[in-house]
Amino acid sequence: MKEYVKFIDGLPLILKVILALPGFDGIVYGIYRIAKGRLIVGILWIILGIFILWIIDIYHILTEGKVKFLV
C-alpha cells in the first residue's frame, strides 16, 4: 500500500485532477485514503466520492496540490 500512496503522491497535477473526476475519484482516492490509514473515510469515499465528494478533491488538488482527508 505504501507504493500506491507514493505513486499517487508523485503524479503530476493534471493527472491528479483527471483521477479526481466523477467515476474515478471514489475508487482511486478512496483506496488512497484507506492506504493512508483512514479506513472509514476511505470506505465512505468509495461509496460517495463517485457522486458528489469528487468536487472536494478537485478543489483541494487545484488549490493545495494534494488530497485532504477531512477527518
Side-chain angles (χ1 to χ4, degrees):
M1 285 301 222
K2 290 182 181 183
E3 293 85 23
Y4 182 75
V5 171
K6 188 182 280 188
F7 172 74
I8 295 294
D9 286 340
L11 289 175
L13 183 64
I14 188 70
L15 284 178
K16 288 181 183 180
V17 172
I18 290 171
L19 290 175
L21 293 174
F24 298 119
D25 182 69
I27 298 166
V28 173
Y29 289 117
I31 294 171
Y32 177 81
R33 285 173 169 88
I34 291 171
K36 292 287 270 190
R38 305 287 187 177
L39 182 64
I40 303 297
V41 175
I43 292 171
L44 287 173
W45 218 271
I46 290 172
I47 297 167
L48 300 174
I50 295 171
F51 303 110
I52 189 93
L53 297 177
W54 60 272
I55 297 169
I56 296 169
D57 276 347
I58 287 181
Y59 172 77
H60 283 290
I61 290 169
L62 290 175
T63 58
E64 300 175 22
K66 60 183 178 178
V67 174
K68 290 286 191 171
F69 292 104
L70 300 176
V71 175

